[in-house]
Every structure is written in structure tokens, then in C-alpha cells.
Amino acid sequence: LPQHRLMSTAAIRNWRRRGVLARMQPFVLLALMVGAFYVFPALSGDSVTSYSVYTSFQGFANQGLVALALGLTIIAGEFDLSVLGMYGLGAMIAVKTGLSSPILGVAAAVAVGVVAGAVQGAIVARWRMSSITVTLGGYLILLGITGTLGHNNDVPYTRYSVSASLNGQIATVLSWRSIVALGMFCVVGLVMRY
């Protein structure tokens, strides 16, 4: 073998060590964030309770899925500005169609999201347009549809038992909403790994 193709034992160990460190990086960052979650309140004289952890997971359930969707489009080399418009329209569709059956409401919201994403994706692919331009237009259209469906007002979901069960505490710090969000991150992580 040529000299430049031979690796010394030290070089192999160094290469493997870098691989281990790269694989550990997400866990180190997670540990730092969890540490900051406990340290910063202590610096101001407050303490972290199980309810504050539960509240953080509830916020994660709201914003986490939007961040996941946007992150996936960035990984794909694009940028989807319509994610927020779809978030609002999906909620409106779920509330409007889910009064008789919450599962029907969620299914309708997902179907509308799939159609909106497919239309925007087809426009970007067919005419080779910038995804930012197309999804900005998509965002404005989706926001307009949301306002029209809700008559520019908030629309409450009147099946309070469903809301209560989705937001009820599980194991003190979780809810079904946060479990679903965490599950989606795990599924995406497993799919992206392979």
C-alpha cells in the first residue's frame, strides 16, 4: 500500500475518539440545557418544581413540533415560511371539524396540511422557484383562510373533557401532548439515523 494510505495506530485512535465525541455532542448539549434549567432559577432565588417542568414540556409541545417541521425543511436544503400558517390553520380545522369527533378533527387538519405542503412542494419543484417565495405566499394564503374560517376571532374548542385529558399531568411532568411531541422527535431521530 502507498504510504499515504497507511494510518498509524495513534491516527486510528484519534479518528475513533472524534467519532465518539461527535456522537456524544447532542447529549452534552441536552445536559447543559437541563443544567441551565435548574441553575438560572437558583441564581435568582427561585426553585424548579415539578409544575415548572410540566409547564416547560407543555411549551415544548406547542413550539417543538413547529421547530421540528422547520428544521426538517432546513435539513432538506429549503426553508418553509408557511409552517406557522399551517400551524394556525391546522388548529382551526381541528376545532371546526372535531366537535363531534376529535380524531376526525385531527385527521382533517393533517389532510389539509398534507395538501398544502404537496401543492407548495409541487410549485417549487415544477417551476424551480425559491421555496422562500412560494412558502411566504403559502403562509399568507393559509393565514387568510384561517382568519376567514374563524371570522377573525378566536374559536374555542368546547369539548373541555378532551382538552383536560390531553393536558392532564402524567407522571407529574408530562401530558399526552408532550408525550406525542417527544415521540415525534424520537421517530424523526430514528428515521434520520438510518
Side-chain angles (χ1 to χ4, degrees):
L1 289 173
Q3 184 64 29
H4 69 278
R5 291 198 172 203
L6 294 175
M7 292 181 75
S8 68
T9 306
I12 291 172
R13 268 189 259 125
N14 188 30
W15 178 74
R16 285 183 182 158
R17 188 173 359 143
R18 279 188 293 181
V20 169
L21 292 176
R23 286 190 301 270
M24 288 178 51
Q25 182 180 11
F27 300 107
V28 170
L29 291 173
L30 179 63
L32 287 171
M33 288 190 304
V34 169
F37 184 77
Y38 285 98
V39 168
F40 287 130
L43 293 175
S44 64
D46 293 328
S47 64
V48 176
T49 64
S50 62
Y51 188 74
S52 57
V53 175
Y54 166 79
T55 303
S56 294
F57 274 121
Q58 290 295 89
F60 169 76
N62 284 340
Q63 286 89 23
L65 293 178
V66 173
L68 178 63
L70 192 55
L72 287 173
T73 61
I74 291 171
I75 289 170
E78 298 293 338
F79 196 79
D80 189 351
L81 295 172
S82 70
V83 169
L84 288 175
M86 192 61 246
Y87 182 72
L89 180 59
M92 183 65 72
I93 295 288
V95 166
K96 290 281 196 172
T97 61
L99 289 176
S100 62
S101 168
I103 294 172
L104 174 66
V106 170
V110 169
V112 169
V114 167
V115 169
V119 167
Q120 292 178 83
I123 291 170
V124 168
R126 171 69 175 97
W127 287 291
R128 300 186 191 277
M129 295 177 69
S130 166
S131 64
I132 293 177
T133 307
V134 173
T135 60
L136 176 60
Y139 167 71
L140 296 172
I141 291 169
L142 296 172
L143 196 61
I145 293 170
T146 304
T148 301
L149 289 176
H151 305 289
N152 291 322
N153 290 315
D154 292 338
V155 177
Y157 188 66
T158 55
R159 291 191 61 186
Y160 300 114
S161 60
V162 174
S163 299
S165 65
L166 288 176
N167 291 311
Q169 289 181 311
I170 299 172
T172 311
V173 296
L174 298 173
S175 69
W176 281 115
R177 288 177 51 229
S178 59
I179 290 171
V180 167
L182 288 168
M184 291 301 295
F185 271 85
C186 290
V187 166
V188 168
L190 288 172
V191 168
M192 297 290 289
R193 183 180 175 119
Y194 300 103

